[in-house]
Amino acid sequence: MSSENKDFGKNKAFLIDMTKCTGCRGCQVACKQWNQLDAEKTKFFTGEGYQNPPLMSEYTFTRIKFRDYEKNGQNEFAFYKEMCMHCNEPACASVCPVGAFVKTKEGPVTYDAKRCIGCRFCMVACPFGVPKYEWSKAFPLVRKCTGCYSRVKEGKKPACATTCVSAITYGPREEMIKEAEKRIAARPEKYLKKLYGAEEAGGTSVIYLTALPFDELGFKHVTKRPLPSYTWQALRLVPGIFLTVGSSLSLLSWFTHRKERIAKEEEMRKSGSAPKEG
Amino acid sequence: MTAAKITQVVVDEVKGYHNFVKFLIFLVGAAALASAIRFIFGLGVTTNLNDTFPWGLWISFDVVTAVPLAAGAFTLGAIVHCFHIKKLEPLVRPAIVTGFLGYSLVCVGLLLDLGQPQRGWHTMVYWNPHSPMFEVSMCIMAYTTVLFLEFLSPVCEKFGYHVPLRLLRTIEMPLVVLAASISTLHQSSLGTFFLIAVDKLHPLWYNPLLPLLFWVSAMCAGMSIITVEATMSHKYMGQPDEGELLETLAKILPCVLSFYLALRLFSLFALSEGALWDRPGLTALFVLEIVALVVPVLMLAQKKVRENGRQRATAAWLVIFGVVVNRFNVSMFGMEAPGTSYYPSFLESVVTIGIIAAHILFFVLIAKYFPIFEHHPETVDYSLPDHFHKTDNNHGHVGNEA
């Protein structure tokens, strides 16, 4: 697990304003191109409404989720760009037995395929359901959004943020939160007065602004506490428990065997045939 | 002997086996075939796993359930050697064999389930102490080694290797203590696995005491497995009747079990968060799990049940069933989001059935060829056959002084 940084405000973060999203899916295409991901054979209306592909997968690191709803008697669309949230304290990084996930100091949570043993604990642990598996392969690995770390490292914006004409802003996390709050204050009638990602899972590097309530758009309800702390409160006891159990059992055995040992020594002394060392 | 002759001897030997044993061999063969399919065509084709259910039967049974079922070795080792209830010693060996087989098969199951089994050693190189999986895999590797060393005793006896036998007797106590400590860690850490599944595991099972609950229930499962095993190998394999010893064990079991139940209900009503009874299916599974553990407590509280081999075994079976249901509830049913479900594919089931069959098969074969049940420590001669050691008057008790 990485503890390179504790001040997450300086991390680069996405501010995704879903009210400005037009559902063009340029981000999906840019993501596929930059990460050289294969196309998926899909059909319309296999998922919910117009969204396509229906789900994120080993070939699709981000996708726009469509939601139909009615406003003033008109049919309207609302969108949700699903992607890796790049948590401040990622669950995937904490559970990975080989430390294949790292929260970089720039912000993105990266995955080292060369270390991965394919146990899929990250998939179980991720509260957002982000890591996906190469189910089609005999020796599969995990795939997920890289936060375009290779670009960010060079001072560029991620592919999706570069392509998006309106909805995605990319910059230091504290500035993104300030900007989001400014937008809510400026147009209170337009926005839900909450930020998704500001506190979810202890804070993430993707912040969402929406018009509709989060659960209606398909955002997952996630605890506000950083997930690694849930397991660490048990795991931190491990060395102590090991020593306690080990030493108390040793002590116990010493006492329970003492009687026998004394009796034996006694017997030996009586018979007089015992060697000096016993 | 030539190779052909040896083959002939083996074939003749196998032909002489009971049909049940042959059936077990068939099941193990089928599982080997199914595992081959997994490595050729991949996990997606072989299993019903997907991105929503990344862990299925192979984790739920082959790892999360098999580990507590193999807990008899450390529990009994501690009872006999640390708490010094010496008369139970004849039960230790079968428990160690069960444990060793159990853990070896856990490793097999894990290797099938891993995407990159050839990189299993990575856990030893790239440490991540924040990961319960790291902790469990280190423990399982260490503990399988300990069990292997403990298992060497009957092997050395069989072939009359007295020098290693004496060495093994010397490190017996440290091994017992080590086994109990390592087991405490990984039995509980299997529960820690699911502490990360906040908002995923249903509150009927999710609570911060999960690791402690896993550890205590593992001990119950271990004792029950020993009871069942000794009863069955007496009945079907003509092994000596250990009824009297099992009676003592049957006195310890309900105490631990009621402690578990008290802890379970306390954690459920005092520490769980969220709606408990919102899903009838899960409620039913929860009731099943609790009933299967409450009934044996009530049964074993009565002297006449403890003394009756059949009823005692029934109670033990119920405990095993209760613990198995609990592990499946935690790792499978309780993890399913409302409206979704996972069921194992045909090949997944074949592999798991084969693993269970392999366990029984190897146990039967080991009991057939090695001194497992005949072991009564006071009767074994540990003296060295030469003049290396002159104090032979206290042999057989070397381990007790360690």
Side-chain angles (χ1 to χ4, degrees):
Chain A
M1 207 188 142
S2 149
S3 48
E4 272 183 56
N5 52 344
K6 280 284 162 238
D7 179 20
F8 301 106
K10 298 279 183 287
N11 281 181
K12 288 286 170 52
F14 297 78
L15 171 60
I16 308 183
D17 188 337
M18 294 321 318
T19 65
K20 293 186 176 179
C21 176
T22 60
C24 75
R25 286 175 281 205
C27 52
Q28 284 184 202
V29 176
C31 176
K32 286 235 173 193
Q33 285 180 341
W34 179 258
N35 293 298
Q36 305 195 347
L37 301 172
D38 287 347
E40 278 183 87
K41 197 160 195 174
T42 57
K43 284 188 188 132
F44 256 143
F45 305 114
T46 47
E48 220 176 296
Y50 283 90
Q51 73 199 30
N52 193 23
L55 291 167
M56 286 198 295
S57 72
E58 54 182 296
Y59 310 109
T60 307
F61 292 169
T62 185
R63 60 138 194 179
I64 298 292
K65 203 170 179 317
F66 281 56
R67 174 166 165 83
D68 299 297
Y69 71 107
E70 226 169 72
K71 195 169 126 191
N72 309 327
Q74 296 272 330
N75 278 338
E76 292 273 347
F77 272 132
F79 306 102
Y80 161 31
K81 181 185 189 287
E82 203 181 6
M83 60 182 287
C84 175
M85 300 289 287
H86 302 285
C87 307
N88 294 344
E89 292 171 60
C92 55
S94 94
V95 298
C96 181
V98 292
F101 291 93
V102 174
K103 172 77 178 172
T104 58
K105 64 179 193 300
E106 291 85 354
V109 175
T110 59
Y111 162 74
D112 182 355
K114 285 194 200 76
R115 278 195 185 191
C116 179
I117 57 171
C119 71
R120 307 189 290 288
F121 204 171
C122 48
M123 303 171 67
V124 172
C126 177
F128 304 102
V130 167
K132 304 293 179 193
Y133 209 50
E134 298 174 324
W135 292 106
S136 49
K137 292 189 183 162
F139 294 90
L141 288 164
V142 169
R143 307 298 313 264
K144 80 165 193 72
C145 162
T146 61
C148 284
Y149 184 58
S150 55
R151 294 173 61 92
V152 173
K153 221 171 26 180
E154 303 295 324
K156 292 195 174 84
K157 284 183 189 174
C160 58
T162 311
T163 268
C164 183
V165 289
S166 50
I168 306 177
T169 322
Y170 193 74
R173 188 169 186 270
E174 52 192 9
E175 281 176 33
M176 291 300 108
I177 291 178
K178 257 183 223 151
E179 168 68 19
E181 281 161 354
K182 211 165 76 188
R183 286 189 203 174
I184 293 178
R187 306 273 308 271
E189 74 288 352
K190 188 177 168 190
Y191 291 106
L192 186 77
K193 272 156 213 66
K194 278 184 219 154
L195 299 178
Y196 189 89
E199 289 180 329
E200 271 71 15
T204 66
S205 283
V206 183
I207 313 286
Y208 289 98
L209 277 169
T210 65
L212 294 184
F214 299 132
D215 51 348
E216 281 185 33
L217 288 168
F219 285 87
K220 292 194 169 69
H221 171 77
V222 169
T223 169
K224 301 259 154 75
R225 206 174 122 187
L227 277 103
S229 67
Y230 285 88
T231 44
W232 187 240
Q233 65 181 3
L235 271 180
R236 70 196 166 89
L237 304 174
V238 159
I241 290 176
F242 183 74
L243 293 176
T244 312
V245 173
S247 55
S248 49
L249 282 182
S250 309
L251 207 64
L252 182 67
S253 320
W254 190 81
F255 273 113
T256 52
H257 287 126
R258 192 166 165 263
K259 218 173 166 184
E260 213 171 83
R261 201 166 48 233
I262 291 174
K264 206 189 295 162
E265 277 166 14
E266 195 71 23
E267 193 188 315
M268 275 184 186
R269 205 173 304 136
K270 269 183 202 157
S271 63
S273 66
K276 267 175 192 148
E277 286 158 37
Chain B
M1 249 198 287
T2 62
K5 252 189 186 165
I6 292 171
T7 321
Q8 190 56 40
V9 169
V10 172
V11 168
D12 286 344
E13 185 77 17
V14 172
K15 270 186 189 160
Y17 289 163
H18 191 274
N19 276 338
F20 179 67
V21 176
K22 286 182 190 159
F23 178 61
L24 290 176
I25 296 177
F26 165 75
L27 287 179
V28 175
L33 213 62
S35 335
I37 298 178
R38 176 256 173 268
F39 283 115
I40 298 166
F41 296 103
L43 279 169
V45 182
T46 343
T47 67
N48 275 356
L49 299 174
N50 55 42
D51 286 329
T52 326
F53 295 106
W55 284 356
L57 184 65
W58 289 353
I59 293 290
S60 291
F61 188 86
D62 304 357
V63 179
V64 177
T65 308
V67 168
L69 292 186
F74 94 85
T75 314
L76 207 61
I79 292 177
V80 170
H81 293 290
C82 299
F83 289 88
H84 210 56
I85 306 179
K86 271 287 173 202
K87 62 175 173 178
L88 291 181
E89 182 148 12
L91 294 177
V92 171
R93 262 207 191 159
I96 284 173
V97 174
T98 316
F100 175 57
L101 281 176
Y103 275 84
S104 309
L105 291 169
V106 165
C107 295
V108 172
L110 258 178
L111 288 181
L112 287 179
D113 193 77
L114 285 184
Q116 309 276 339
Q118 78 283 7
R119 292 184 186 166
W121 56 273
H122 278 196
T123 43
M124 286 185 278
V125 186
Y126 305 111
W127 290 27
N128 180 8
H130 284 257
S131 166
M133 178 79 94
F134 162 74
E135 206 242 296
V136 167
S137 50
M138 294 295 261
C139 279
I140 286 186
M141 283 187 272
Y143 189 44
T144 312
T145 315
V146 169
L147 282 169
F148 176 68
L149 288 174
E150 293 186 317
F151 172 69
L152 277 182
S153 286
V155 176
C156 291
E157 270 174 35
K158 162 87 178 176
F159 296 112
Y161 300 151
H162 285 245
V163 177
L165 204 52
R166 191 176 277 277
L167 181 70
L168 287 171
R169 288 295 286 189
T170 315
I171 58 169
E172 188 183 29
M173 274 316 291
L175 282 185
V176 166
V177 172
L178 198 61
S181 329
I182 298 177
S183 293
T184 303
L185 293 190
H186 71 263
Q187 293 284 1
S188 58
S189 288
L190 279 176
T192 314
F193 271 31
F194 298 93
L195 287 185
I196 200 87
V198 202
D199 304 319
K200 285 187 181 174
L201 181 57
H202 193 273
L204 280 173
W205 293 280
Y206 188 94
N207 68 67
L209 287 189
L210 204 54
L212 182 59
L213 290 168
F214 263 48
W215 178 58
V216 180
S217 55
M219 289 194 278
C220 299
M223 285 188 261
S224 311
I225 282 279
I226 295 165
T227 307
V228 165
E229 211 173 61
T231 313
M232 286 181 72
S233 38
H234 170 57
K235 197 171 166 192
Y236 297 109
M237 293 165 61
Q239 303 290 359
D241 182 13
E242 310 282 18
E244 217 172 293
L245 307 181
L246 296 180
E247 234 176 280
T248 314
L249 202 59
K251 262 187 220 160
I252 307 172
L253 178 57
C255 303
V256 186
L257 201 54
S258 18
F259 172 65
Y260 169 76
L261 283 166
L263 202 64
R264 177 83 174 87
L265 294 179
F266 164 74
S267 61
L268 181 69
F269 292 114
L271 303 174
S272 296
E273 289 166 21
L276 292 178
W277 316 110
D278 55 341
R279 287 163 69 188
L282 293 185
T283 306
L285 284 166
F286 167 76
V287 171
L288 184 68
E289 168 194 327
I290 296 297
V291 169
L293 295 177
V294 170
V295 172
V297 173
L298 300 177
M299 283 173 79
L300 292 173
Q302 305 163 41
K303 199 162 192 280
K304 67 174 196 321
V305 176
R306 288 201 301 266
E307 284 171 357
N308 180 319
R310 212 186 150 81
Q311 291 180 8
R312 191 174 54 216
T314 312
W317 270 118
L318 273 173
V319 176
I320 294 169
F321 176 74
V323 173
V324 170
V325 173
N326 172 259
R327 296 305 194 263
F328 271 86
N329 281 342
V330 171
S331 63
M332 192 186 281
F333 302 121
M335 292 285 284
E336 290 173 0
T340 57
S341 73
Y342 155 87
Y343 55 92
S345 72
F346 174 70
L347 288 174
E348 269 178 289
S349 318
V350 168
V351 168
T352 295
I353 292 170
I355 284 182
I356 301 170
H359 194 130
I360 305 172
L361 175 69
F362 289 131
F363 185 82
V364 169
L365 292 183
I366 291 174
K368 190 174 160 71
Y369 295 110
F370 293 97
I372 306 298
F373 286 96
E374 298 84 352
H375 177 58
H376 285 262
E378 62 281 2
T379 62
V380 181
D381 182 16
Y382 291 107
S383 57
L384 289 171
D386 52 24
H387 53 274
F388 270 107
H389 203 282
K390 291 195 177 92
T391 58
D392 280 346
N393 52 357
N394 68 336
H395 53 246
H397 295 282
V398 178
N400 301 341
E401 289 172 28

